[in-house]
Amino acid sequence: MCVGKGFPKACKRGKEPASPESWCHGSPTRLRCLLRFGFEGGEEANTGEANVAEYDLKDISYKVRGPTCHELTVLGSSDEPMVFNFEEEREAQKWWTIVSSSLREVQKASDSMLASQASSLPAAAGGVSADQDPEAAPFLELSEKEDLALHLAQAIEYGDEEVASQCAVALARQQATLSILLKESNYPTDDISMKVGVEDATSSASITIRVRAHTTIATLKQQVFQDYGFHPLVQRWIIGQCLCVDERTISSYGIRRDGDTAFLYLLSAKMAELTEQRYEEDQARVMLSSTSSPTDVAGERRKYNTLPNMSPKKGWGNESGRKMDIGEISQHLDTLQIGDLFSAQPKPAATSLPSPVQAGWSCPKCTFINKPTRPGCEMCSTDRPDDYVVPGSYKPDETELWRMQQEQEGILQYQQALEAERLKNFQQLLQMEEEVLVPNQEVLECRICYQQVAPGEGVLLRECLHNFCRECLRQVINYSEEPEVACPFRDDCYACGSHLQEREIRALVSPEEYRQFLERSLVLAERRSQNSFHCKTTDCRGWCIYEDSVNEFRCPICQALNCLLCKAIHEGKNCRQYQDDLQVQAQNDSAARQTNDMLQTLVQIGEAMHCPTCLIIVQKKDGCDWIRCTVCQTEICWVTKGPRWGPGGPGDTSGGCRCNVNGQRCHPRCQNCH
């Protein structure tokens, strides 16, 4: 069986090989090694190859003297060792893998032969077979797995893909459980200054610790526990947007140079399900392991410690802008480790930590990758981004289903409690709405008289919730000149713009004071109305707000009929007769003369005019420029002071003001409304 090829440059025998080959052949109980080299010239040129030597594998010793130098020694022989020099290191490694594997097979064959011989002995002679002793079978199977694992490691180290694949297949068929780790020699040996942000539910700090590339997360957790008392269960290391797994090294998460950042989040003992008993047992075990080691070993360990010495400090805070060290955090968060442990509610068993690459959303604050359905970050409680959409193919595990169920139950309880609170508040509002005044519930100081007001003696205004004593509010109402009483609250920066409600005013003053308040309000409303008209009867309080189509007003108080055009009472007379009587009376009556002079003045200033047909004085109260004489019913254009239509009556544009004929207005001041 051909087990490998090599290209040794020279050997002790002085031959110049061209293409050597190595065979291991024979029966399972006797294996031999044949070294054959091909030559390019010389006495063996006709055959092209020559046998250098042939040995039993059990009689040789093969050693590695250098990266490209191997040595073969025949046991029990006085001959000089045979030295092989290779041109490439890879070929030397491949050669060593083949020869060492063959030597191990010889050893296994020899052991199997001894075992079979022992099993063939009679039971009386002490021989016991695997079938007769079931306890021996697991040990034999375990030995085979160990040999395969060693072969796999060596084949991978020397780059032999064929042997490595064969060993891996054999282990997979036996379903062997392996733990494959890189040796420390594969990592850089330099120390790394790693920046760590330490945070718990209430506080945070920044520190710098010394680590190495081969440091695992489990080692880092254990060191923090040994030096500072933070149990590994409460430590959550977050590096490179991933929750770190204990078996991986910090370099696999991207910690490779000074200044690289990591986050350490400390859970409470209750959240980590850490009992006080377990904490004390683990702490005692760590103390025993540390005290049992020699002093020099402890010093050597501290020499390469990845964390600074803890110096206990008082207080918790960032004094004078300095950064807090891990000692302060340890002192402040001591209660998180073992405090209030027995009030925790039972929870489902937590699943294993997620792998470095997992589905979910990255926290914008601490970069922790959360599960897709989680509404907030598990580490720092930051809300999930609004634009994140849960994948439709995602299926939550049992722990997440339990959490989602708890969230739904919590939301339902919150909604029920909120609805009960709303119903209670609504009943209180209904009860308060039925009350005319809302009394104060506590002692207050009136902002008007600055007196202490006992509960129930003051009034809480509904619109603005300002408090005053009853007497001050009553005086504010009695002296108010406005129909709406404003809140009297004033200070240097703010003046309240709310008003007292009508029912509050009625309840704060007496009936007589309320009547006077209404009268003042009516007088003020009449004064501020543009189209108001007061009854001409002496001492009558009646008044109205008229419209353009109304020319008469009958007072509801004195029942007198007022002419809105003449601004007088002339029942039984039309406006022409009343104005003629005024002219006659004007000769002997000073009041009539005053009225006549007033009408003439109105005509002169343009606020009144003579009807173009009956010549009485007419006045436009408001509205458009198209008016009608109340005596002769002539339609008049107010701006032109002439008839609206021609001799033919309504619609005759041959005369009159001719407004809108050919699209032109009748007068520059025409409002174009007729």
Side-chain angles (χ1 to χ4, degrees), residues 101-399:
S101 299
S102 301
L103 293 175
R104 282 193 296 270
E105 292 294 335
V106 171
Q107 183 65 30
K108 289 178 59 177
S110 177
D111 294 342
S112 299
M113 183 180 300
L114 294 176
S116 62
Q117 292 175 358
S119 62
S120 64
L121 295 176
V128 180
S129 64
D131 297 335
Q132 295 176 350
D133 188 4
E135 297 181 356
F139 292 100
L140 293 176
E141 183 179 356
L142 182 61
S143 177
E144 294 178 1
K145 292 180 180 179
E146 289 180 352
D147 291 338
L148 288 172
L150 291 174
H151 293 169
L152 176 61
Q154 292 176 353
I156 293 176
E157 182 177 358
Y158 296 128
D160 193 336
E161 299 178 359
E162 182 179 357
V163 176
S165 61
Q166 293 175 358
C167 295
V169 170
L171 289 171
R173 290 175 179 174
Q174 300 185 27
Q175 297 182 351
T177 303
L178 301 180
S179 177
I180 302 176
L181 299 175
L182 294 176
K183 294 182 179 180
E184 294 184 5
S185 59
N186 293 278
Y187 299 92
T189 59
D190 298 336
D191 290 347
I192 301 174
S193 296
M194 181 176 65
K195 293 184 178 180
V196 180
V198 186
E199 183 176 352
D200 72 332
T202 58
S203 307
S204 62
S206 297
I207 60 173
T208 301
I209 60 177
R210 302 289 293 179
V211 295
R212 288 190 175 181
H214 61 78
T215 303
T216 62
I217 301 300
T219 304
L220 194 56
K221 287 183 178 180
Q222 197 65 27
Q223 188 65 48
V224 171
F225 178 46
Q226 180 176 351
D227 292 344
Y228 301 97
F230 294 123
H231 197 277
L233 290 179
V234 304
Q235 299 181 40
R236 294 294 184 270
W237 286 89
I238 303 172
I239 306 175
Q241 301 184 357
C242 291
L243 181 61
C244 299
V245 181
D246 290 349
E247 292 78 10
R248 293 174 65 92
T249 61
I250 61 171
S251 62
S252 65
Y253 288 105
I255 303 298
R256 300 184 179 90
R257 61 182 64 88
D258 292 344
D260 288 344
T261 304
F263 292 93
L264 172 58
Y265 191 86
L266 301 176
L267 302 177
S268 64
K270 179 179 178 180
M271 183 178 298
E273 299 182 1
L274 174 63
T275 62
E276 185 175 6
Q277 180 180 1
R278 178 173 179 180
Y279 177 82
E280 293 177 352
E281 291 176 355
D282 292 346
Q283 192 176 40
R285 188 180 300 109
V286 171
M287 293 176 63
L288 289 175
S289 63
S290 62
T291 55
S292 61
S293 60
T295 305
D296 55 348
V297 175
E300 184 69 16
R301 180 183 60 81
R302 292 303 302 172
K303 178 180 179 181
Y304 297 103
N305 188 13
T306 58
L307 294 174
N309 292 326
M310 180 181 65
S311 56
K313 304 236 174 102
K314 297 182 179 180
W316 173 261
N318 194 0
E319 301 174 0
S320 302
R322 65 176 180 85
K323 291 187 177 180
M324 295 177 292
D325 59 10
I326 197 68
E328 297 182 45
I329 304 175
S330 175
Q331 186 177 11
H332 177 68
L333 303 178
D334 184 66
T335 57
L336 296 178
Q337 306 298 319
I338 56 175
D340 195 15
L341 298 170
F342 303 103
S343 61
Q345 299 294 331
K347 296 182 180 178
T351 58
S352 60
L353 294 176
S355 59
V357 179
Q358 55 178 319
W361 55 274
S362 176
C363 176
K365 182 177 180 181
C366 68
T367 70
F368 175 67
I369 298 180
N370 297 271
K371 294 183 178 180
T373 58
R374 191 168 186 87
C377 180
E378 185 178 0
M379 296 294 106
C380 62
S381 302
T382 302
D383 293 338
R384 182 175 63 188
D386 297 334
D387 56 352
Y388 179 78
V389 179
V390 179
S393 60
Y394 177 74
K395 295 182 180 180
D397 53 18
E398 295 182 359
T399 303

Side-chain angles (χ1 to χ4, degrees), residues 54-76:
E54 183 176 353
Y55 305 103
D56 288 339
L57 287 176
K58 63 183 182 63
D59 296 334
I60 66 174
S61 173
Y62 195 85
K63 298 180 181 180
V64 177
R65 295 302 183 183
T68 59
C69 180
H70 295 176
E71 180 182 275
L72 187 149
T73 304
V74 180
L75 301 177

